[in-house]
Amino acid sequence: MKSLYDRVAGDVASSIKTGKAINLNNPVSKPRIIELYEDLRWNWPKIKSSLRSKGGNENLSKVRDLMQKEFYQAMAEMIEKINHIDGVFGLNMERSDTANPKVKEYRQLTIQNLQLAIYSEKQQDLKNPTPLHQCKTFQDVEDYLRHECFWLGRLMALNDPPLEPDWFSPPTTCDKWDILPHDIIESPKYQENISKSEFVRVILELLKICLPEGERLRLSHSQPAGGTAGAVPTMGDSFIIAIDFGTAYSGYAFSITPRNKKTEPCVRYWGEKSARETSKTPTCILFDKYKQFVSFGYEAKEAYVSRMGADTKDNLFFESFKMSLYKRKLNLDMKIKATNGKEMKALQVFAEALKCLKEDALSYIAQHTAGKKFTASDFTWVLTVPAIWDHSAKEFMREAATQAGIVTKGKEDKLIIALEPEAASVYCKKLPSDGFIAENLGNVKLDQSPGTQYVVVDCGGGTIDITVHEVLEGGNLKELHKASGNDLGGQTVDRKFKQFLQEIFTGVWDDYEKKFPNEVQKIMYDFTIFKKHLDDVEISCPFNLGKMAERKKKIEKYFKKVQGATWDEGSIKISKEKLRVFFEESLLGISQSIRDIFKKTSKIKYILLVGGYAESEILRHHITDEFAEDCIILCPFRPQEVIMKGAVEFGRNQGVVASRKNPFTYGVGISQKFDKFRHREDKKYTNKDGVWCGDIFMKLVDVGEDVRWNETREHTLYPVEANQKAMSFSFYRTKKKNVAYIDEPDTEEIGSFIVESPDTTLGLNREIRLKIKFGFTEMTATGTDRESGSSQTIRINFMKK
Ligand SMILES: Nc1ncnc2c1ncn2[C@@H]1O[C@H](COP(=O)(O)OP(=O)(O)OP(=O)(O)O)[C@@H](O)[C@H]1O
Ligand SMILES: [Mg+2]
């Protein structure tokens, strides 16, 4: 302790000067903390005039956020430290009353010791930024303020009980720059007698809602921290186009009304040339033999189906290619096969398809706005992807969208990746009770029933994609479980049907499919209509199939050995019982995935069926039969459209999904001073500044942890060599909860960058701030060298080259 008293000796002198005594048993006592806070307030007129002159009034809210954030961050870090100290002393809230008084005393001394160490940091002047009077830029003043608030915040948090500025009663002067609260108070949350870890959680919640820069948020007593409608700021522009790029069908919805006007998103309808009106167009794309784009959607499908012979053989026709991104290790050079077996780069195929949708959207909107010309950059774009997709697939789609000219490099924020079932949920939660085909919701909308838990099942062509949401106070949503599902979407039924045709026409079908892929397309196309109801199916047998089959034997004979199909004067008839069999695997897969969720929670009130496949009565009846006893089954009108409509809403307000379950444990590789009791011997290395343990997996976030929308986490890291001029960061992920080293099995590197740190004056004490932004459907990491301001950001590239 003596050395600690020595360290504060300078302050004793200054306290004596000001006539205030210092308590040597606890030099950083509550009165001293109040005094330090008063010093900051004393300086405030100088600080605010400096801020005003250097940054202008528009930075007011930024500065307020910054101060709140630093105080709360300091509070969270210190309470965690206290928790850790308690752990070391074998104390916790439950046992602390009965603990040995000596143990309690040592614990208190340790905390005081920590407080003193922080207190003395300032005297050592090691980490101090430029003093106020030397600050030249707005950034300098901000840094000065950040440092002051964080330092003071840590001292306050270590007081027993913790102190905080009284944010809830801001000063009442006329000067709007008087944003530093007048008083400090004992933390009200701490007084609520909640456990320390719960207290940290509350503080972190407060911290998170302080974080989004540029978005103002006022805390108020009545506002719970957990995401009320007002709590999460809205963002996004008024002009939004949302693309639902599906396995079977794609489409888009848009909004060009100001975001405060609540209008229904507009949907583009397709198929006018072939007397159809559907909200999506087939995700089919045709290229000529030189791999030049020819057509997309209905046009591509019809061009392909109607052409014959050599033309068809040379052209490259792609369908269902979205599934090539499911559960695959991806890279940007990956190739996919057209129906004729020829290959093209997947990225080019995706990019051309997206480009076609983009151009159609811009010209369609122009036609409906008296010819006003728009460019892609006038809009915020939303692109939906299955929730169960890996990050790398989402990243692949972003790259394809960039190549399609939807966004340009440097403007990546204008493209939002949305999760399909989430988007549907966002739309459906606002629907009135009569907005659903199946079952009745009662009189309330979902978003007016806080606490309600429901499952959204997006039944698409390729994937069954499931998310579980709880409605929060105010209508925002919280994800309750990691996204789940499978690849047993509507096309599974098509596949079974095709396999049955293959079975009927054994010895003919394979040859036929090779020779006439376009005719096969047509049969499959016709079959879609029959998936809606459980009725007998009747499909005309294409000319060439009949001809090829007849060459071998009489066509009726093919039907003798199969059950459930008959030949009827040029038509293939399939019984409804057989049709039901085609659905079986898919239906069982869907109900199994839903059942897995019911195993984890018993509070689900609704199942919401969305996606084109949910149009099928067969599917809806199956889910009703299976789950009607457990919950209410809902299906909105036009279930295929709700994904893109919800995606428009999501583009207006990404905070609507207030938190999500994190799918991986993420970490960064670091070194620590070697400790033979904790570290692996083989990880030990020595440099001129010490003995270190390398390859340590420092956790940034745990698998299954709730991550809030737009959440940012910060860590401070230090160099391992006093004269190193750059620091390299490598990021890792694993499905495991407990991981100590980066090279453990099932741990993979997901990205890296290097941050320059040219000024080595502070040696090992240089701080590099690592800021991780989670909570979007992707993740970005930024490393900043505090001294030079040198900074590196990556949207972590999850793709392996
Ligand atoms: N009326 C209907 N009855 C039965 N199935 C239908 C009906 N309408 C569409 N489908 C099926 O729904 C699927 C297409 O739905 P949707 O457009 O939601 O999928 P997608 O978005 O293309 O696929 P994914 O979401 O898996 O990428 C197709 O398998 C189609 O056959
Ligand atoms: Mg879909």
Side-chain angles (χ1 to χ4, degrees):
M1 288 299 285
K2 183 165 182 310
S3 66
L4 287 165
Y5 295 156
D6 290 346
R7 272 191 266 156
V8 294
D11 261 78
V12 177
S14 79
S15 292
I16 292 168
K17 234 183 356 208
T18 57
K20 288 165 188 161
I22 190 161
N23 174 358
L24 277 180
N25 286 328
N26 181 12
V28 200
S29 61
K30 184 174 170 185
R32 180 69 185 129
I33 291 173
I34 295 174
E35 196 181 48
L36 291 168
Y37 187 72
E38 281 305 313
D39 288 349
L40 182 62
R41 282 186 28 84
W42 177 256
N43 267 330
W44 187 249
K46 270 186 271 170
I47 300 173
K48 73 179 176 192
S49 78
S50 188
L51 287 166
R52 208 187 262 134
S53 65
K54 293 180 171 62
N57 278 334
E58 64 274 18
N59 283 306
L60 173 70
S61 56
K62 189 178 166 209
V63 174
R64 184 176 15 219
D65 280 352
L66 177 143
M67 290 198 302
Q68 278 192 0
K69 191 194 111 180
E70 290 301 319
F71 274 106
Y72 282 128
Q73 178 98 46
M75 176 84 78
E77 280 188 21
M78 290 305 103
I79 301 296
E80 278 211 326
K81 286 232 158 34
I82 296 177
N83 275 344
H84 188 72
I85 293 170
D86 284 358
V88 172
F89 282 96
L91 293 167
N92 53 36
M93 281 306 268
E94 292 75 46
R95 289 185 44 205
S96 60
D97 289 345
T98 53
N100 179 333
K102 268 281 169 231
V103 174
K104 282 186 1 193
E105 194 184 323
Y106 283 128
R107 172 234 185 227
Q108 196 51 35
L109 270 174
T110 311
I111 293 172
Q112 271 180 25
N113 208 341
L114 175 63
Q115 211 181 22
L116 277 167
I118 293 165
Y119 184 72
S120 64
E121 255 177 34
K122 219 171 176 190
Q123 274 66 47
Q124 291 170 5
D125 212 23
L126 270 181
K127 295 177 182 166
N128 273 5
T130 326
L132 183 59
H133 64 277
Q134 285 174 10
C135 287
K136 290 203 176 63
T137 61
F138 181 81
Q139 176 74 40
D140 288 345
V141 191
E142 250 193 337
D143 282 348
Y144 164 84
L145 200 54
R146 184 178 283 133
H147 182 267
E148 285 294 304
C149 294
F150 189 67
W151 178 75
L152 204 47
R154 283 188 292 165
L155 296 180
M156 285 181 176
L158 291 173
N159 192 63
D160 189 14
L163 304 170
E164 63 176 71
D166 191 3
W167 296 109
F168 301 130
S169 30
T172 50
T173 65
C174 298
D175 187 346
K176 59 183 181 185
W177 271 94
D178 276 338
I179 48 180
L180 188 67
H182 192 276
D183 298 314
I184 58 175
I185 51 167
E186 289 178 5
S187 180
K189 291 280 167 222
Y190 196 73
Q191 287 167 27
E192 280 171 25
N193 216 3
I194 47 183
S195 77
K196 266 196 239 114
S197 49
E198 176 64 359
F199 177 60
V200 171
R201 196 193 62 74
V202 171
I203 292 298
L204 287 173
E205 293 293 327
L206 285 168
L207 184 61
K208 285 163 199 162
I209 55 177
C210 289
L211 279 173
E213 281 171 9
E215 298 280 349
R216 260 313 297 149
L217 172 84
R218 271 177 199 284
L219 299 174
S220 88
H221 275 305
S222 58
Q223 197 175 63
T228 63
V232 181
T234 55
M235 64 169 283
D237 295 325
S238 307
F239 285 18
I240 295 172
I241 302 176
I243 298 178
D244 175 2
F245 191 77
T247 309
Y249 294 93
S250 296
Y252 60 84
F254 59 93
S255 168
I256 46 172
T257 48
R259 62 179 146 144
N260 51 358
K261 282 201 185 146
K262 287 186 180 156
T263 50
E264 182 82 355
C266 306
V267 174
R268 147 75 147 130
Y269 286 90
W270 304 81
E272 55 274 35
K273 283 191 194 148
S274 44
R276 290 190 187 88
E277 198 195 47
T278 56
S279 55
K280 291 168 92 178
T281 188
T283 311
C284 300
I285 188 163
L286 189 64
F287 294 88
D288 66 17
K289 57 183 172 187
Y290 306 107
K291 299 187 178 168
Q292 295 301 307
F293 170 76
V294 177
S295 52
F296 176 78
Y298 280 120
E299 272 178 46
K301 188 138 206 160
E302 271 148 31
Y304 180 70
V305 168
S306 61
R307 274 186 205 170
M308 311 277 281
D311 221 11
T312 314
K313 280 203 187 75
D314 290 340
N315 285 351
L316 290 92
F317 179 75
F318 293 89
E319 62 172 354
S320 304
F321 51 92
K322 184 177 163 191
M323 287 311 276
S324 61
L325 304 188
Y326 181 65
K327 284 196 174 165
R328 285 260 300 265
K329 284 262 177 247
L330 300 176
N331 67 61
L332 296 178
D333 298 324
M334 180 180 100
K335 297 213 162 136
I336 51 174
K337 267 198 181 112
T339 42
N340 63 0
K342 289 189 182 170
E343 285 190 334
M344 251 176 91
K345 267 176 88 169
L347 191 62
Q348 190 190 347
V349 177
F350 278 81
E352 287 291 355
L354 286 170
K355 189 169 155 203
C356 189
L357 287 164
K358 175 200 88 177
E359 279 164 10
D360 189 279
L362 294 176
S363 73
Y364 184 84
I365 294 170
Q367 281 164 32
H368 291 79
T369 48
K372 189 176 178 324
K373 280 268 171 283
F374 291 103
T375 60
S377 59
D378 294 327
F379 291 87
T380 294
W381 294 80
V382 185
L383 184 57
T384 67
V385 297
I388 46 169
W389 267 12
D390 189 61
H391 272 298
S392 63
K394 294 172 192 164
E395 198 60 38
F396 186 95
M397 286 303 279
R398 178 173 278 284
E399 186 58 39
T402 309
Q403 293 220 353
I406 287 177
V407 279
T408 45
K409 294 267 181 221
K411 292 256 164 87
E412 284 85 358
D413 289 351
K414 294 282 271 183
L415 174 67
I416 296 162
I417 303 286
L419 306 180
E420 286 160 10
E422 259 187 30
S425 176
V426 167
Y427 185 76
C428 291
K429 79 182 174 70
K430 289 164 76 174
L431 284 177
S433 52
D434 57 4
F436 295 93
I437 317 168
E439 289 245 27
N440 201 316
L441 182 62
N443 279 330
V444 285
K445 298 176 182 180
L446 280 172
D447 67 357
Q448 289 166 355
S449 341
T452 305
Q453 298 186 354
Y454 60 91
V455 182
V456 183
V457 190
D458 176 9
C459 308
T463 45
I464 301 298
D465 205 18
I466 304 177
T467 194
V468 189
H469 280 158
E470 179 176 316
V471 182
L472 297 173
E473 199 68 51
N476 283 342
L477 301 171
K478 174 183 171 157
E479 188 184 51
L480 292 178
H481 300 289
K482 268 188 295 168
S484 58
N486 54 56
D487 59 352
L488 297 171
Q491 292 185 341
T492 316
V493 184
D494 305 347
R495 251 192 325 272
K496 299 276 167 182
F497 166 68
K498 200 157 134 186
Q499 277 164 12
F500 186 55
L501 292 178
Q502 194 176 22
E503 191 189 327
I504 298 173
F505 296 103
T506 310
V508 177
W509 183 265
D510 292 346
D511 206 18
Y512 169 69
E513 194 173 8
K514 252 188 231 136
K515 285 199 176 112
F516 302 99
N518 48 348
E519 280 194 13
V520 175
Q521 280 292 325
K522 177 143 183 5
I523 303 177
M524 299 311 294
Y525 203 37
D526 294 345
F527 175 66
T528 308
I529 305 155
F530 294 98
K531 282 161 67 183
K532 194 174 169 88
H533 305 286
L534 194 55
D535 280 329
D536 293 342
V537 176
E538 185 173 335
I539 288 179
S540 310
C541 179
F543 174 77
N544 288 304
L545 176 60
K547 211 167 93 184
M548 284 176 70
E550 286 275 8
R551 265 190 224 136
K552 296 208 164 175
K553 57 184 172 189
K554 259 182 101 45
I555 204 149
E556 285 85 354
K557 283 201 168 168
Y558 288 91
F559 291 80
K560 288 259 155 60
K561 57 179 183 13
V562 291
Q563 291 232 317
T566 48
W567 178 252
D568 184 15
E569 296 182 7
S571 289
I572 302 161
K573 274 191 159 179
I574 296 172
S575 71
K576 59 179 178 220
E577 291 73 24
K578 190 72 195 179
L579 176 65
R580 183 69 178 67
V581 173
F582 301 153
F583 277 78
E584 231 147 57
E585 187 189 0
S586 165
L587 297 183
L588 285 177
I590 299 172
S591 43
Q592 186 53 49
S593 289
I594 302 178
R595 210 162 288 293
D596 287 345
I597 289 161
F598 277 78
K599 275 186 207 148
K600 292 182 208 151
T601 170
S602 57
K603 280 179 67 192
I604 303 292
K605 196 158 174 202
Y606 303 102
I607 294 175
L608 248 75
L609 298 174
V610 299
Y613 186 22
E615 295 255 12
S616 165
E617 269 177 18
I618 304 168
L619 168 78
R620 291 205 303 266
H621 288 165
H622 171 78
I623 300 297
T624 309
D625 289 347
E626 292 280 306
F627 296 98
E629 280 183 12
D630 304 306
C631 64
I632 295 171
I633 289 99
L634 298 170
C635 179
F637 286 105
R638 298 181 179 263
Q640 198 177 23
E641 285 175 22
V642 298
I643 291 119
M644 52 190 156
K645 284 182 176 169
V648 172
E649 300 279 331
F650 185 77
R652 284 173 190 267
N653 177 15
Q654 292 177 70
V656 63
V657 183
S659 78
R660 296 195 177 86
K661 290 277 168 207
N662 185 46
F664 287 94
T665 297
Y666 289 103
V668 61
I670 59 157
S671 292
Q672 280 177 353
K673 285 271 181 206
F674 188 78
D675 174 348
K676 66 177 179 189
F677 298 109
R678 284 198 301 137
H679 294 139
R680 252 167 59 185
E681 194 61 32
D682 60 314
K683 295 289 176 194
K684 185 170 157 184
Y685 71 94
T686 307
N687 65 16
K688 63 184 171 34
D689 291 303
V691 185
W692 306 90
C693 173
D695 290 349
I696 292 172
F697 187 106
M698 184 180 94
K699 262 192 209 177
L700 300 170
V701 61
D702 256 323
V703 58
E705 201 178 320
D706 287 329
V707 182
R708 281 179 65 89
W709 170 78
N710 210 8
E711 178 169 341
T712 311
R713 297 197 182 177
E714 289 198 0
H715 299 267
T716 304
L717 296 168
Y718 300 88
V720 283
E721 275 186 34
N723 61 358
Q724 77 185 77
K725 293 203 164 165
M727 263 172 91
S728 137
F729 291 82
S730 296
F731 299 90
Y732 298 85
R733 74 173 189 190
T734 172
K735 288 264 181 204
K736 294 188 294 188
K737 209 168 166 62
N738 294 316
V739 51
Y741 294 95
I742 58 170
D743 54 0
E744 286 178 18
D746 305 322
T747 302
E748 58 174 337
E749 187 178 334
I750 49 171
S752 63
F753 59 59
I754 290 174
V755 178
E756 306 289 332
S757 178
D759 181 353
T760 58
T761 323
L762 293 180
L764 292 180
N765 289 322
R766 280 172 293 156
E767 287 186 356
I768 309 274
R769 275 269 162 126
L770 180 63
K771 192 166 163 179
I772 310 289
K773 199 165 177 180
F774 297 97
F776 281 127
T777 37
E778 300 147 312
M779 166 170 131
T780 55
T782 306
T784 310
D785 175 44
R786 205 159 174 153
E787 293 311 303
S788 64
S790 146
S791 171
Q792 277 294 327
T793 298
I794 49 165
R795 196 181 288 278
I796 287 179
N797 185 357
F798 297 97
M799 266 176 289
K800 292 263 168 246
K801 286 268 173 210

